Amino acid sequence: MLLSAFALNGFSQLPEETPEQKTERMEWWTNDRFGMFIHWGLYASPARHEWVKRYERMTNEEYEKYFEIFYPDLYNPHEWAKKAREAGMKYAVITAKHHEGFCLFDSEYTDYKVTNTPIGRDLLKEWTEAFRAEGLKVGFYYSLLDWHHPHYTIDRNHPLSASSDEEYKKLNKGKDMDIYRRYIKDQVRELLSNYGKIDIIWLDYSFPTRKNYDHGKGNNDWDSENLLKMVRELQPNIIVNDRLDLLDVDGGWDFTTPEQYKVSKWPEKNGIRVPWETCQTFSGSWGYYRDEMTWKDTKQLLVLLIETVSKGGNLLLNVGPTARGIFDYRANEKLEEMGEWMKYNNRSIYGCTEAPTEFAPPDHSLLTYNPETNRLYVHLLDYPMKWFTLKGYEGKVKYAQFLHDGSEIKFGKPRHNVTHQEAKGKEDVILILPMVKPNVEVPVIELILN
Ligand code: GLC
């Protein structure tokens, strides 16, 4: 009691760290910008959303058939890792356990785990080794929700959610969340002890009770502070997301996680910009969804990545492998096409961030900036005409080139005649571009600044 009262008053039990130390701990992540999310579990078999158990209100018995049939015979995590690397991704986060409660790893604390399915192997272990071998940083997603554990109380998001307080009381009789809280800690301890250095942990998620009747779960239900304290003890350099419901606790999270939408500007907390990572799907669902057809096209995905970096953030892009253990052909196609762009243009992504305010983005373009090299990147989303004006850039640019082929872009001279409608102002720079768009989905101009 006393301890948690102190914690609430700001005497957090979490290790203290200066802002500079935090920046340093997160440096690789801030630099790398682009990662792969992987949602893979029993829900790959029904293939109609990772929330299928909840959406169709299935009981454990009804869901059991997916456990009995789980046999991803084509699983080759080396192939996955290679695809991620070739797409330009530098880190990856996989679901060790999602809301359904199934564990993709060999846990001492449950039978509901991959080693007891027909495949009979610790697939998470293989994954971790394969991704590391390919040079990627590795992270685990661990669901705080659990729709299988007998002591996890039924709440409003549970497959068996009730419609009255009475009913909840009846359903939850005999359940002991203390046991479940211990289970979370035991499993997270396993994940952070038995698999070597883990770079990221994604603990997902909280939905606090807003009114005393709406049956949510928040930091008290997870014992979030003690859980996080354990995480930091086991892996002092790990990077942690913000879904433990500890937003107002010092050290309670490392980065914020806007999901499936674009932020309008760099997110702030109390007026200060915070590290952020947007997580996004190729199509609507996180788990493999056979009949979901709303796939984003490659240009949309590239713009998503560029725009994210232009506002100082990271992109975690999700793949939902099939029940056979392979990526959907559309995911492969998008990854390859993004990789083709990244191969020639990644200098405008890695190590880059929002441009200094003195540089206004020209029409139909997005800017990123590398503070180390002092280079500015103009991403041409809609290819312009030959004369391209950089308003207010005069005196600031030493050299201009296309990034994909390193070819010089010449500066234009001011022209004061009728054909040049917008005469160059004294403060502007004009670039002379080729009339035909280069053979690149989104061409990038690299400006070497003075
Ligand atoms: C939400 C969903 C979940 C998904 C996650 C990704 O929390 O519940 O299915 O894993 O978002 O951020």
Side-chain angles (χ1 to χ4, degrees):
M1 263 317 269
L2 257 182
L3 263 182
S4 65
F6 276 133
L8 284 176
N9 288 327
F11 295 99
S12 170
Q13 315 156 44
L14 294 163
E16 282 184 22
E17 188 179 42
T18 63
E20 293 72 31
Q21 285 167 328
K22 180 175 171 183
T23 304
E24 203 183 306
R25 179 166 54 84
M26 296 186 67
E27 197 183 341
W28 71 264
W29 182 89
T30 309
N31 181 74
D32 287 355
R33 290 301 185 210
F34 190 24
M36 176 180 277
F37 216 174
I38 299 177
H39 277 67
W40 199 39
L42 298 183
Y43 42 79
S45 292
R48 46 184 196 274
H49 208 284
E50 77 282 357
W51 276 60
V52 61
K53 189 177 186 189
R54 154 77 195 169
Y55 291 161
E56 300 180 15
R57 297 182 66 81
M58 287 189 229
T59 60
N60 283 351
E61 292 67 37
E62 287 164 331
Y63 205 72
E64 189 62 14
K65 59 184 173 201
Y66 305 125
F67 181 80
E68 286 165 6
I69 207 175
F70 191 70
Y71 188 70
D73 56 332
L74 300 179
Y75 176 55
N76 178 354
H78 292 278
E79 230 166 60
W80 294 9
K82 187 162 172 273
K83 285 176 198 289
R85 183 180 54 71
E86 286 175 354
M89 293 158 161
K90 296 276 201 180
Y91 61 98
V93 178
I94 189 169
T95 49
K97 179 190 92 167
H98 202 261
H99 308 339
E100 63 179 0
F102 172 71
C103 296
L104 201 62
F105 62 107
D106 189 10
S107 170
E108 244 185 76
Y109 301 96
T110 184
D111 293 331
Y112 199 50
K113 58 179 176 182
V114 66
T115 41
N116 290 338
T117 66
I119 199 77
R121 303 184 335 240
D122 185 336
L123 300 186
L124 191 73
K125 189 156 197 287
E126 296 173 19
W127 181 89
T128 309
E129 285 160 6
F131 273 68
R132 266 196 213 114
E134 205 62 47
L136 286 103
K137 297 264 196 320
V138 294
F140 293 151
Y141 169 110
Y142 182 85
S143 172
L144 299 166
L145 290 72
D146 195 311
W147 299 333
H148 182 270
H149 196 284
H151 286 288
Y152 182 87
T153 52
I154 312 286
D155 53 44
R156 69 167 185 264
N157 285 326
H158 195 279
L160 307 179
S161 63
S163 49
S164 70
D165 277 355
E166 287 297 277
E167 213 185 315
Y168 274 113
K169 246 188 226 131
K170 232 195 304 172
L171 285 169
N172 285 328
K173 207 165 161 240
K175 289 189 191 289
D176 182 355
M177 272 295 281
D178 264 338
I179 297 179
Y180 179 67
R181 272 187 285 274
R182 217 173 313 135
Y183 180 72
I184 298 185
K185 287 201 196 84
D186 286 338
Q187 289 208 317
V188 171
R189 190 182 318 104
E190 285 181 315
L191 287 170
L192 300 186
S193 307
N194 301 344
Y195 297 85
K197 182 168 187 278
I198 303 304
D199 302 292
I200 300 169
I201 190 157
W202 247 84
L203 297 161
D204 196 39
Y205 67 94
S206 300
F207 47 106
T209 302
R210 294 156 303 195
K211 300 178 181 132
N212 57 17
Y213 56 82
D214 80 352
H215 302 273
K217 283 195 173 75
N219 60 57
N220 286 325
D221 300 285
W222 319 127
D223 191 19
S224 292
E225 280 211 44
N226 287 314
L227 175 61
L228 183 55
K229 193 181 164 211
M230 184 190 80
V231 166
R232 301 256 193 235
E233 269 166 21
L234 292 170
Q235 301 266 352
N237 290 316
I238 203 163
I239 296 177
V240 187
N241 72 334
D242 69 338
R243 296 189 180 177
L244 277 166
D245 188 25
L246 294 178
L247 290 182
D248 294 318
V249 174
D250 271 349
W253 51 282
D254 289 329
F255 64 95
T256 192
T257 55
E259 172 175 333
Q260 299 281 50
Y261 70 95
K262 282 186 179 181
V263 298
S264 58
K265 63 178 180 82
W266 191 327
E268 296 176 358
K269 172 96 179 155
N270 304 325
I272 296 168
R273 290 170 162 192
V274 295
W276 67 281
E277 175 194 71
T278 183
C279 47
Q280 304 273 348
T281 55
F282 281 119
S283 65
S285 151
W286 300 89
Y288 176 62
Y289 197 139
R290 185 191 56 208
D291 303 333
E292 159 65 60
M293 294 298 159
T294 60
W295 288 69
K296 298 170 185 72
D297 72 27
T298 304
K299 169 102 182 257
Q300 254 177 315
L301 294 163
L302 287 173
V303 173
L304 186 60
L305 173 63
I306 298 160
E307 195 172 335
T308 299
V309 178
S310 81
K311 292 169 183 164
N314 284 24
L315 172 63
L316 190 63
L317 189 55
N318 181 75
V319 178
T322 69
R324 299 290 301 278
I326 57 167
F327 289 2
D328 183 277
Y329 69 96
R330 287 158 294 192
N332 284 332
E333 203 177 277
K334 304 298 165 218
L335 288 170
E336 275 163 31
E337 287 170 13
M338 291 184 87
E340 178 66 16
W341 186 86
M342 280 295 279
K343 184 171 169 186
Y344 301 104
N345 296 287
N346 66 41
R347 225 146 78 194
S348 76
I349 300 295
Y350 303 142
C352 288
T353 186
E354 189 171 301
T357 45
E358 60 178 298
F359 297 100
D363 288 346
H364 312 295
S365 72
L366 288 167
L367 296 180
T368 64
Y369 172 69
N370 186 323
E372 287 287 311
T373 60
N374 194 30
R375 293 183 183 198
L376 186 71
Y377 297 94
V378 186
H379 301 79
L380 305 173
L381 307 190
D382 186 14
Y383 194 70
M385 300 282 274
K386 193 169 174 179
W387 294 75
F388 188 59
T389 308
L390 303 171
K391 280 199 181 307
Y393 285 38
E394 179 58 37
K396 297 177 182 168
V397 184
K398 193 164 27 185
Y399 187 80
Q401 59 184 353
F402 274 122
L403 184 52
H404 67 279
D405 66 354
S407 64
E408 180 178 13
I409 298 171
K410 292 180 75 177
F411 296 116
K413 295 227 163 41
R415 300 205 316 177
H416 300 287
N417 61 37
V418 283
T419 57
H420 186 46
Q421 301 285 340
E422 267 188 50
K424 173 180 179 281
K426 274 209 284 296
E427 20 353 278
D428 304 334
V429 165
I430 284 186
L431 299 180
I432 303 178
L433 300 179
M435 188 52 87
V436 176
K437 182 188 169 197
N439 186 30
V440 180
E441 184 71 87
V442 179
V444 184
I445 300 171
E446 182 175 50
L447 299 175
I448 299 177
L449 303 178
N450 282 318

